[in-house]
């Protein structure tokens, strides 16, 4: 009988699939998904079928863990395929889909994870080896080990790491462990001092992880932040920081909410203690809410999430090790599903003395569940979000409603209120507070209003369907002009979407000052969306060549409102096409815009040519344009944005997409000088000599090439590193030149993105505003008599704010704008005779950054007119190389000098030129002035030949004049610009919420070290409205005919099959000391 | 034992070495050079293992000056010097044909846990560090020629940052060239 019972128990026990660890040698074993690489349209058919997703960051040669429940991929050594520097990171992680339990089957996945790697304060692990430590064949946990030495993943912070890190490099291992049946990875990081002397850290140093979630996973941090870490961290940064306590959010975990997959990260307890409960942190009461397994998040933006919790030992003796542990769980899409895994998690290790050590203790919880229905129809609502807040005001969890409108979430015992929301209804707040006990359950139901529907048709003047952008504008109520809409109109903490506003100071008396975008969408001749009931104004637009039409409407619950528009092209541009040479899609880790929406966004903005330039990924938008039948409106070319971490971002196009490699041709950039990168980018081109290499946003924080090399905004020459936060230009350990050495600055590029998106702040140098902004006062004196020229000072309003750069070589100094402008950099290049074409591109990553804002018009010839199916791609890039290009976000300029157009060289022996200027603009934008500029060898900063006031009219033709200028020196160039002053709202929305950047994190950490901004409140602001602006590429003026010098461009073939060699060389001295010897 | 005896033993050892050179066999001397090249210096670890047998007996007995059957103190030093000389004398280094002088930083000897004047195996390790007297640039060549006492092959590893290491078993007396990255 006992035997029978045992047999019965055995039969009823569910068989658990074993965990496995192995190196991938077939694409069958990759994890698919939207975040996974592998282009459906261009990859070989067999590979596509095997991967099953749109992008795969895993590749042959990487390492995989799987247990039939979840699986993960760790990249082999090399350069990061995410956003970091090195390989060896966790790059894919997902549930095993489709009910398949085989740990190595080719499943259709939903990986939405970009990258995670251990971080030791600001130092990372530079992997030299990845290996299977335990393959799981014994039925126990499977594990993969990444080992290597410490290495700075951002050399910008070397000044800090040199102060705090041990003098000798340490050896690190990172073990990724997966147990059978578990839905989480255990990650154990071990630091070992294999050096010949003891290692010590100069400060209280935190250890943890850096995670790059990418767009599509919305970060939820339990506590006061909820879904709004962006503004919450800004508030946190205002708190006092200390050398012993980095500023940041203290919480129990971070989690995400995403489409079908979600993640949560928690720390394990570490025997050496917690950073947040270190003696110094406790003594200073820096983290009063921290407990033994709290984590600290000092930085969180869409692409970069820092999580610290372990405390480095103050001293690690020779031969000693130190370990810390963390866990990463995978859920089914909402925060609740992944929190449940975390709460159930219990991890125990056995110490050498035989005693148990609890690394992670489970958390008792109860369950709240309910349903969400529509009020009038009683229909269950699926896919809505429910957020729960506890009695102390902390946002605790989020759940997504499933079929039948039901939802469930685990919560610690306590009292809760809830919110139910989606994108088309007003938020429903629970009328009652529910209480739940440990192990108990409670119910919370919601009813939401029924939206109305808006249906729109758009035609051209001949009645033909026309792609157009539909913007639905509302007016909110507000009587306090000091408040931002997020403070009273919507709640980012519960996950409500941001509604863009006009950035005009609110006035209770003026509704026009309180406008916001309730909804916008793309209509390819026709379209519609559900909308919250209310009164709105609907706008139809099609970019800068078309007029703008509007209608007032009222949306009623449950009813459809129909609106028809007719748009007219009012500004013709025969022979020219408009192009955007810098855009992103879901193929980039920081964009969640699918290809259909991506290409449609360009068609509705009237852009003729889009060049795909995804981060470190060669993509082809052509098949998507075909499938949507948008070819008459839009053409595309294949390109790439080679994205380095701190050397700059560089585009290349038109490229040949390579179907085989995972990133279709993108290559390793780490630690290569820019000249080599440019030559390698050319090699990817369909015709390498004709490839356009473009430097993007050269003055955008650490993402800017010219900033990385400290290029003077006045001379164009590299300056010595003048900031505490500068890239490392010291010679390499092997004595070779640093890739950042000033001599490595290369000008072998063809185009420069002078105008990037809505970023006027990086196109022009920062000047002191007439009205002082709020904020701390500067610590420097006002410039004037008595203030030495080599001392930082505050100039008068309207003047460029400079800082003094000391030149150690000769004891002198130079001035450098605090924020140099890309346009001045371009002018300096032109003055040297370098024919670099200026471009303007949107750098759009999503719907909120408008496609084609700004754009570059290129003179192409007859194929520019009519259908874009016939566009001559060669002519476009030849025109761009030749500088036959106009950069604009609205106004159109036609300029000739002595009847020759942009990019031409005019020979004016007598130095007299006739400049013909025609300025046109759609009626919905203003134009105030046109400026004629002359630069040249004698004028690095161009001189204004004339400022011409534009008549105050909304007619399309604003100006048509011929101006004669004399005494034009040999080697000059003429550039004409046009500008308006009024906001282009609502066609072009304002740049309202800049994301927190890595530089913000560096700045915060810098402030911990006592670096305070000397200019206080005077600093560039990204938050700004969009006003009309355009400028031409130059027309060159010589006194004599000169034969142009033509030099073949350098090409360096890229070998994707060249094996990666770690930079770590054996330490011969260490090997010698390891040799056993006998006493003499 | 006087100096004549020592000289005789040394001659015997030399004869034996010449004999092994002539005949060559797998057991004997095992030489491995691990070299790291940078733009500022050459670092090398030379390890030579001597298999147990007559060579070791001769080497050990030759330095056992007090004839107590144990190799201790100064005798170990003398044995080390013998082995270092054996390991380094034939090594020729140059950069793009310009010879560079060997700079020995440290040396170690291992009696393989057997201090007796017997035929037990021996090992020696030599740390070499040579700062470049002249600038070295990409494209120049590091040249190495070594001879094993018994003409057996030598394991040579040359590492440079970011370059696939050169790792080969090279023939004794043959010059090997590695390009500076």
């Amino acid at each position: 009988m006992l035997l029978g019972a045992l047999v019965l128990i055995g039969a009823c026990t569910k068989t658990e699939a074993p965990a496995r660890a192995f190196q991938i040698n077939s694409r069958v074993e990759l994890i698919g998904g939207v975040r996974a690489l592998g282009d459906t349209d261009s990859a070989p058919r067999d590979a596509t079928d095997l991967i099953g997703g749109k992008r795969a960051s895993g590749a042959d040669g990487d390492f995989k863990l799987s247990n039939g429940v979840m699986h993960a991929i760790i990249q082999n050594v090399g350069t990061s395929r995410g956003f970091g520097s090195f390989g060896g990171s966790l790059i894919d992680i997902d549930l095993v889909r489709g009910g398949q339990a085989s740990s190595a089957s080719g499943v259709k996945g939903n990986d939405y994870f970009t990258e995670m790697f251990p971080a030791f304060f600001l130092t990372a692990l530079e992997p030299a080896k990845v290996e299977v430590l335990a393959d799981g064949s014994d039925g126990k946990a499977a594990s993969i080990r990444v080992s290597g030495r410490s290495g700075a993943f951002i050399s910008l912070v070397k000044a800090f790491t040199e102060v705090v890190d041990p003098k000798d490099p340490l050896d690190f291992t990172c073990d990724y462990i997966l147990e059978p049946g578990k839905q989480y990875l255990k990650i154990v990081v071990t630091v070992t001092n294999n050096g010949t002397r003891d290692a010590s850290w100069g400060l209280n140093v935190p250890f943890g992880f850096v995670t790059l979630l990418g767009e599509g996973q919305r970060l939820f941090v339990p506590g006061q932040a909820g879904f709004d870490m962006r503004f919450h961290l800004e508030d946190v940064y205002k708190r006092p920081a200390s050398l012993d306590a980095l500023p940041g959010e203290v919480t129990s975990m971070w989690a995400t909410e995403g489409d079908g997959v979600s993640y949560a990260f928690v720390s394990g307890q570490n025997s050496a203690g917690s950073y947040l409960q270190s003696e110094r942190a406790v003594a200073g009461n820096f983290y009063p809410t921290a407990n033994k397994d709290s984590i600290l998040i000092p930085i969180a933006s869409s692409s970069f999430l820092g999580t610290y919790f372990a405390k480095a030992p103050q001293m690690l003796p020779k031969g000693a090790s130190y370990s810390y542990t963390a866990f990463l769980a995978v859920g089914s899409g909402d925060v609740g599903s992944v929190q449940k895994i975390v709460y159930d998690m219990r991890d125990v290790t056995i110490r050498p003395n035989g005693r148990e050590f609890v690394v992670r203790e489970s958390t008792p919880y109860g369950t709240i569940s309910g349903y969400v229905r529509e009020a009038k129809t009683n229909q269950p609502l699926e896919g809505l979000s429910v957020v729960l807040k506890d009695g102390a005001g902390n946002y605790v969890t989020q759940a997504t409603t499933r079929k039948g409108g039901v939802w469930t979430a685990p919560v610690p015992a306590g009292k809760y209120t809830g919110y139910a929301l989606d994108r088309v209804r007003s938020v429903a707040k629970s009328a009652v507070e529910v209480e739940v006990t440990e192990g108990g359950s409670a119910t919370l139901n919601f009813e939401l209003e029924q939206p109305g529907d808006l249906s729109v048709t758009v035609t051209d003047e001949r009645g033909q369907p026309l792609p157009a952008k539909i913007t639905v504008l509302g007016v909110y109520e507000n009587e306090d002009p000091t408040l931002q809409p997020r403070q009273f109109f919507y709640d980012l903490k519960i996950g409500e979407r941001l509604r863009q506003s006009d950035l005009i100071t609110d006035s209770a008396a003026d509704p026009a000052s309180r406008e916001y975008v309730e909804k916008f969408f793309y209509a390819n001749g026709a379209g519609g969306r559900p909308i919250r009931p209310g009164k709105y104004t609907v706008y139809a637009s099609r970019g800068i060549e078309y007029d703008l039409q509007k209608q007032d409407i009222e949306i009623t619950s449950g009813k459809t409102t129909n609106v028809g528009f007719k748009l007219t092209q009012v500004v013709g541009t025969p022979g020219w096409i408009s192009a955007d040479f810098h855009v992103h899609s879901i193929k980039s880790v920081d964009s969640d815009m699918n290809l259909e929406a991506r290409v449609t966004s360009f068609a509705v903005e009237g852009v003729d040519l889009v060049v795909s330039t995804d981060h470190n990924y060669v993509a082809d938008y052509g098949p998507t344009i075909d499938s949507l039948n948008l070819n008459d409106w839009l053409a595309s070319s294949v390109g790439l944005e080679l994205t380095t971490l701190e050397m700059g971002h560089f585009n290349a196009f038109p490229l040949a997409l390579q179907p085989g490699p995972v990133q279709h041709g993108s290559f390793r950039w780490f630690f290569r000088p820019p000249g080599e990168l440019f030559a390698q980018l050319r090699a990817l081109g369909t015709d390498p000599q004709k490839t356009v290499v473009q430097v993007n946003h050269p003055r955008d924080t650490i993402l800017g090439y010219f900033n990385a090399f400290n290029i003077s905004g006045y001379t164009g020459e590299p300056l010595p590193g003048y900031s505490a936060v500068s890239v490392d230009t010291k010679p390499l350990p092997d004595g070779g030149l640093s890739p950042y050495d000033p001599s490595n600055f290369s000008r072998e590029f063809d185009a420069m993105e002078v105008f990037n998106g809505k970023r006027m702040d990086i196109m022009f140098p920062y000047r002191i505003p007439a009205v002082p902004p709020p904020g701390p006062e500067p610590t420097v004196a006002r410039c004037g008599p008595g203030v030495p020229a080599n001392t930082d000072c505050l100039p008068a309003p309207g003047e460029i704010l400079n800082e003094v750069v000391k030149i150690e070589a000769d004891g002198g100094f130079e001035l450098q704008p605090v924020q140099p402008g890309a346009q001045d950099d371009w002018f300096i290049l032109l003055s040297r005779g370098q024919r670099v074409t200026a471009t303007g591109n949107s750098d759009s990553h999503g719907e909120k950054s408008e496609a084609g804002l700004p754009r570059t018009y290129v003179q192409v010839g007859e194929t520019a007119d009519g259908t874009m199916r016939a566009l001559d791609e060669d002519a476009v890039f030849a025109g761009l190389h030749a500088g036959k290009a106009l950069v604009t976000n609205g106004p159109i300029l036609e300029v000739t000098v002595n009847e020759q157009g942009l990019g031409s060289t005019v020979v004016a022996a007598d130095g007299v030129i006739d400049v013909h200027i025609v300025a046109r603009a759609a009626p919905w934008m203003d134009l105030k002035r046109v400026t004629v500029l002359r630069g040249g060898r004698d004028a690095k900063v161009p001189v204004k030949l004339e400022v011409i006031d534009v008549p105050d009219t909304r007619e399309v033709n604003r100006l048509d004049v011929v101006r004669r200028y004399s005494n034009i020196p040999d080697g000059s160039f003429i550039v004409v610009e046009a500008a308006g002053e009024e906001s282009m709202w609502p066609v072009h929305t304002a740049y309202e919420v800049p994301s927190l950047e890595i530089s913000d994190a560096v700045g915060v950490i810098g402030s911990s070290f006592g670096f305070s901004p000397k200019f206080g409140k005077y600093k560039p602001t990204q938050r700004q409205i969009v006003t009309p602006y355009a400028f031409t590429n130059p027309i060159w003026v010589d006194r004599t005919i000169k034969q142009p010098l033509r030099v073949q461009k350098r090409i360096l073939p890229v070998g994707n099959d060249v094996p990666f060699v770690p930079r770590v060389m054996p330490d011969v001295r260490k090997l010698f000391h390891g040799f056993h010897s006998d006493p003499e | 034992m006087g100096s004549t005896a020592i000289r005789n033993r040394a001659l015997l050892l030399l004869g034996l070495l010449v004999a092994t050179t002539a005949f060559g066999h797998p057991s004997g001397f095992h030489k491995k050079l691990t070299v790291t090249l940078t733009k500022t210096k050459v670092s090398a670890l030379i390890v030579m293992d001597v298999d147990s047998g007559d060579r070791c007996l001769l080497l050990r007995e030759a330095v056992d000056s007090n004839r107590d059957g144990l190799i201790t103190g100064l005798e170990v030093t003398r044995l080390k010097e013998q082995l270092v000389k054996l390991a380094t004398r034939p090594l020729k280094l140059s950069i793009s044909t310009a010879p560079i002088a060997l700079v020995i930083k440290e040396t170690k000897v291992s009696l393989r846990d057997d201090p007796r004047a017997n035929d037990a195996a021996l090992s020696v390790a030599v740390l070499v560090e040579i700062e470049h007297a002249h600038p070295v640039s990409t494209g120049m060549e590091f040249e190495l020629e070594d001879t094993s006492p018994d003409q057996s092959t030598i394991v040579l590893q040359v590492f440079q940052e970011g370059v696939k290491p050169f790792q080969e078993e090279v023939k004794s007396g043959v010059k090997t060239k590695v390009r500076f990255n």
Side-chain angles (χ1 to χ4, degrees), chain A residues 79-286:
Chain A
T79 302
S80 166
R81 283 188 222 118
F83 255 22
S85 297
F86 312 120
S89 303
L90 175 68
I91 50 171
D92 288 346
I93 180 165
D94 187 20
L95 300 173
V96 172
R97 304 276 167 183
Q100 298 179 57
S102 166
S103 57
S105 59
V107 290
K108 200 174 179 75
N110 189 31
D111 166 58
Y112 239 103
F113 194 83
T114 302
E115 188 174 11
M116 187 164 92
F117 52 84
F120 320 108
F121 188 41
L122 296 170
T123 299
L125 166 65
E126 184 170 349
K129 191 177 183 184
V130 183
E131 62 192 317
V132 173
L133 204 61
D135 66 4
S137 57
D138 57 0
K140 297 179 182 171
S143 63
I144 287 167
R145 169 165 291 180
V146 180
S147 50
R149 287 203 191 131
S150 51
F153 64 97
I154 312 178
S155 82
L156 274 172
V157 295
K158 194 158 184 178
F160 304 130
T161 54
E162 278 181 347
V163 173
V164 300
D165 282 356
K167 298 289 172 256
D168 300 326
L170 297 171
D171 291 326
F172 292 88
T173 60
C174 180
D175 294 344
Y176 296 91
I177 303 161
L178 182 62
E179 292 183 28
K182 301 293 187 194
Q183 213 168 311
Y184 59 85
L185 276 184
K186 179 179 178 180
I187 308 168
V188 181
V189 181
T190 303
V191 188
T192 305
N193 180 6
N194 285 323
T196 55
R197 53 182 169 172
D198 296 344
S200 61
W201 279 264
L203 291 169
N204 203 22
V205 172
F207 281 16
F209 289 84
V210 165
T211 310
L212 306 154
L213 283 171
E215 285 295 316
Q217 284 289 309
R218 296 202 300 159
L219 183 67
F220 180 85
V221 177
Q224 291 295 307
F227 279 109
D228 180 24
M229 274 296 273
R230 168 66 185 80
F231 291 105
H232 182 71
L233 270 182
E234 257 187 19
D235 294 338
V236 168
Y237 290 164
K238 291 171 189 163
R239 297 175 197 160
S242 154
L243 287 174
D244 292 317
L246 289 180
E249 174 68 354
V250 177
T251 181
S252 57
M253 71 174 78
W254 61 252
T256 65
E257 180 251 328
D259 184 12
V261 67
S262 48
Y263 305 101
F265 176 96
V266 288
S267 74
Q269 287 184 52
N270 296 288
S271 51
S274 156
Y275 172 75
L276 293 93
Q277 290 193 316
S278 65
E279 278 180 26
R280 294 183 199 177
V282 171
N285 196 28
F286 291 120

Side-chain angles (χ1 to χ4, degrees), chain A residues 734 1061 1069 1075 1078 1080, chain B residues 38-39 80 108-109 111 129:
Chain A
D734 74 349
V1061 181
R1069 188 166 276 273
F1075 187 88
D1078 285 286
E1080 299 171 30
Chain B
T38 72
K39 296 284 190 332
K80 187 176 76 174
K108 281 182 178 182
V109 68
L111 305 181
E129 284 179 348

Side-chain angles (χ1 to χ4, degrees), chain A residues 225-482:
Chain A
F227 279 109
D228 180 24
M229 274 296 273
R230 168 66 185 80
F231 291 105
H232 182 71
L233 270 182
E234 257 187 19
D235 294 338
V236 168
Y237 290 164
K238 291 171 189 163
R239 297 175 197 160
S242 154
L243 287 174
D244 292 317
L246 289 180
E249 174 68 354
V250 177
T251 181
S252 57
M253 71 174 78
W254 61 252
T256 65
E257 180 251 328
D259 184 12
V261 67
S262 48
Y263 305 101
F265 176 96
V266 288
S267 74
Q269 287 184 52
N270 296 288
S271 51
S274 156
Y275 172 75
L276 293 93
Q277 290 193 316
S278 65
E279 278 180 26
R280 294 183 199 177
V282 171
N285 196 28
F286 291 120
Y287 309 117
T289 59
N291 57 38
K292 57 194 174 189
D293 53 9
S294 293
I295 58 175
L296 176 74
I297 304 178
I299 176 70
S301 74
S302 60
S303 59
F304 195 98
L305 172 64
T307 312
Y308 292 107
F309 53 93
K311 179 188 172 302
Q314 216 63 36
M315 204 268 287
L316 193 62
K318 187 171 66 174
S321 290
Y322 161 74
S323 291
Y324 63 94
T325 306
F327 301 87
L328 182 67
V330 191
S332 56
D334 57 6
V335 172
S337 68
V338 75
Q339 276 178 322
K340 186 172 185 309
I341 300 161
V342 168
Y343 291 157
D344 287 335
M345 193 184 285
R346 185 170 194 275
D347 189 88
V348 176
T349 57
I350 308 297
R351 283 180 161 169
N353 61 10
R355 287 189 171 178
E356 279 192 349
F357 177 71
V358 179
V359 180
R360 178 86 201 168
E361 188 57 271
S362 58
T363 306
Y365 61 90
T367 304
I368 302 180
S369 53
Y371 61 78
V372 181
R373 289 181 181 162
E374 199 167 66
K376 277 187 187 171
T377 63
N378 215 26
Q379 288 293 313
L381 296 173
E382 190 180 339
L384 268 76
S385 182
V386 174
V387 172
L388 297 180
K389 193 156 95 168
D390 68 14
N394 293 310
Y395 300 90
V396 175
T397 190
Q398 176 273 340
T400 304
T401 58
R402 301 188 300 273
K403 195 175 177 185
V406 297
W407 62 274
T408 183
V411 287
K415 292 179 179 175
Y416 293 89
T417 52
Y419 304 83
L421 60 149
D422 70 358
R423 297 176 71 86
V424 295
R425 297 170 173 85
S426 297
V427 175
K429 187 181 177 188
S430 59
V432 293
E433 190 177 62
V434 294
E435 184 165 9
V436 66
T437 56
E438 283 181 19
S441 61
T443 302
L444 202 53
N445 298 321
F446 297 90
E447 280 194 344
L448 270 76
E449 66 184 334
Q450 186 185 20
D453 284 306
L454 173 65
S455 178
V456 177
T457 58
V458 185
T459 61
D460 63 13
E461 57 269 44
R462 292 168 299 167
Q464 297 298 309
L466 190 71
K469 180 172 75 177
I470 307 301
T471 308
V472 181
L473 234 58
V475 174
Y476 56 73
E477 297 300 323
N478 178 34
E479 296 190 348
D480 183 350
T482 64

Side-chain angles (χ1 to χ4, degrees), chain A residues 697 894 924 949:
Chain A
H697 42 67
E894 291 170 37
W924 50 271
D949 289 332

Side-chain angles (χ1 to χ4, degrees), chain A residues 671 732-737 1059 1061-1069 1071-1080, chain B residues 36 38-40 44-45 47 73 76-77 80 106-111 113 123 125 127 129 159-161 163-164:
Chain A
F671 246 63
L732 301 178
D734 74 349
L737 271 186
V1061 181
R1063 292 191 304 147
V1064 181
M1065 285 198 297
D1067 185 338
V1068 170
R1069 188 166 276 273
L1071 289 174
F1072 176 80
H1073 289 298
F1075 187 88
H1076 166 76
S1077 66
D1078 285 286
E1080 299 171 30
Chain B
T36 59
T38 72
K39 296 284 190 332
T40 55
L45 172 65
V47 175
V76 177
T77 306
K80 187 176 76 174
E106 287 184 72
T107 55
K108 281 182 178 182
V109 68
S110 170
L111 305 181
D113 299 322
S123 291
L127 177 66
E129 284 179 348
F159 294 89
Q160 295 182 79
E161 265 201 12
V163 181
K164 196 178 175 188

Side-chain angles (χ1 to χ4, degrees), chain A residues 714-784:
Chain A
Y714 291 116
T715 67
E717 295 298 327
L719 292 167
Y722 54 88
S723 161
V725 184
S726 277
V727 288
D728 184 18
T729 56
K730 288 181 189 160
L732 301 178
D734 74 349
L737 271 186
S738 161
Y740 302 109
D741 187 274
S743 65
N744 273 330
F745 180 72
S746 170
R747 296 182 182 86
E748 294 172 330
F749 50 86
D750 312 293
M752 181 193 266
E753 185 184 73
V754 172
F755 196 175
N756 171 273
K758 305 174 186 180
R759 302 292 305 280
M760 294 265 191
D761 57 304
I762 56 174
M763 181 159 58
F764 304 120
Y766 175 69
R767 293 171 187 271
I768 299 294
V771 180
E777 291 300 320
T779 57
V780 298
R782 292 197 175 275
C783 303

